[in-house]
Amino acid sequence: LNNTRIGGPLPSSMFRGLVNLRELRLNDTLLTGPVPDEVSCLGKLETLDLSASESFGRRMGIAGPLPKSLTQLPMLKKLWLQRTQVSGPLPTDLGKLAELTHLYAFESLLSGPIPASIASCSQLMYLHLRATGVSGLWPIELCFLTRLEEVDLSRTHISGPIPDQIGRLTNLKRLWLSESLVSGPLPSSLGECRSLRFLMLDRTDLGGPLPKSFEKLHHLQELSLQDTKVEGLELALLWGYRSATLDALCRQGCSIAV
């Protein structure tokens, strides 16, 4: 039903009749209103897509808080809510979605903290919450989701320091924190995220010296440090940066924005 002119409120009766459904794609439609509690009837559902693509030109009309019954989908792997009017916090028992691999909710109206129960989403690989009202301290629970490959918390209200435990994310390839409220020194443990390719930290209150451990990020392709308090970003008198670590990254072929 995706990419059609189907409209109106999501009918609860539809969910009651599709108990064996594995994929439900309603993206880029004219559907409106909240997600019904009856979504829990889809016990075999693996993919739920209520999103709007960039080419759709506007937000989806799906709105309101997420029902608690959403976490009663034990086989759900992919949840796409980007560019919807879904609001309020993520469910506190989000961790019940133990098979979840993709959570895309960027440019939605979500707010509040990332629930601690996310630690139980051990299969999670992609977490994209850019440009939402998500807030609170960086949830340390994210650092124990060792399958994570992409985390986008840019343009959110996530605040405080990046935990030292982030070094556990050895599969992390892309981390976006631009225009968030994170602050404090860069932890040297970030250098243990050996798979990192893109690290976007611009327009934050992160500061201190660039850890020497960053020289171990041999796969790093882009590093953005514009408008931060990180030290040693100035050009040296003769060549390169004042930060020897930045110079080392340049020699490895990393593109650096300062």
Side-chain angles (χ1 to χ4, degrees):
L1 299 175
N2 59 313
N3 296 294
T4 65
R5 305 295 292 178
I6 186 173
L10 273 172
S12 58
S13 57
M14 177 181 73
F15 294 95
R16 287 195 292 267
L18 299 172
V19 293
N20 293 312
L21 192 68
R22 295 190 181 275
E23 292 191 4
L24 181 57
R25 300 182 185 272
L26 301 173
N27 53 296
D28 293 354
T29 63
L30 302 179
L31 290 166
T32 61
V35 179
D37 287 332
E38 286 79 1
V39 70
S40 61
C41 296
L42 308 180
K44 296 183 180 179
L45 195 69
E46 296 180 3
T47 299
L48 177 59
D49 190 350
L50 303 174
S51 67
S53 65
E54 192 169 358
S55 61
F56 190 57
R58 58 181 181 274
R59 291 181 189 268
M60 278 281 289
I62 303 299
L66 292 171
K68 292 182 179 180
S69 58
L70 183 68
T71 61
Q72 298 173 26
L73 301 176
M75 300 178 68
L76 190 65
K77 296 179 179 179
K78 299 177 181 179
L79 179 58
W80 282 306
L81 301 170
Q82 65 266 29
R83 301 190 183 97
T84 65
Q85 299 178 55
V86 168
S87 60
L90 288 165
T92 55
D93 55 353
L94 183 69
K96 289 183 178 179
L97 300 178
E99 298 299 316
L100 195 66
T101 59
H102 297 61
L103 176 52
Y104 284 74
F106 59 86
E107 297 177 28
S108 69
L109 303 181
L110 285 174
S111 60
I114 297 174
S117 67
I118 199 172
S120 297
C121 298
S122 58
Q123 303 302 308
L124 194 63
M125 299 169 65
Y126 303 95
L127 177 63
H128 286 251
L129 299 175
R130 180 186 78 242
T132 64
V134 169
S135 61
L137 294 175
W138 174 289
I140 196 170
E141 290 81 10
L142 290 184
C143 299
F144 299 96
L145 300 177
T146 55
R147 291 176 60 87
L148 276 174
E149 294 187 12
E150 296 183 3
V151 174
D152 190 350
L153 299 175
S154 59
R155 295 167 55 195
T156 66
H157 301 294
I158 293 292
S159 59
I162 301 173
D164 287 334
Q165 291 88 342
I166 197 169
R168 296 172 59 98
L169 302 182
T170 54
N171 290 308
L172 190 64
K173 294 180 173 65
R174 293 172 174 83
L175 176 60
W176 293 271
L177 296 175
S178 308
E179 299 182 57
S180 68
L181 302 180
V182 291
S183 59
L186 289 168
S188 60
S189 56
L190 258 175
E192 301 303 318
C193 301
R194 305 290 179 84
S195 300
L196 265 178
R197 287 162 171 75
F198 298 90
L199 181 56
M200 304 298 163
L201 306 173
D202 51 286
R203 298 172 180 84
T204 65
D205 283 331
L206 291 166
L210 199 65
K212 185 174 177 57
S213 61
F214 274 38
E215 296 179 22
K216 296 186 290 187
L217 299 176
H218 299 299
H219 298 291
L220 196 61
Q221 298 173 19
E222 291 188 28
L223 173 62
S224 182
L225 296 168
Q226 295 167 296
D227 296 324
T228 65
K229 298 177 181 178
V230 175
E231 300 169 5
L233 305 185
E234 305 86 356
L235 292 175
L237 184 60
L238 296 178
W239 183 86
Y241 296 98
R242 290 179 59 188
S243 167
T245 300
L246 274 185
D247 281 342
L249 290 172
C250 283
R251 289 194 295 271
Q252 294 173 17
C254 180
S255 175
I256 298 173
V258 298

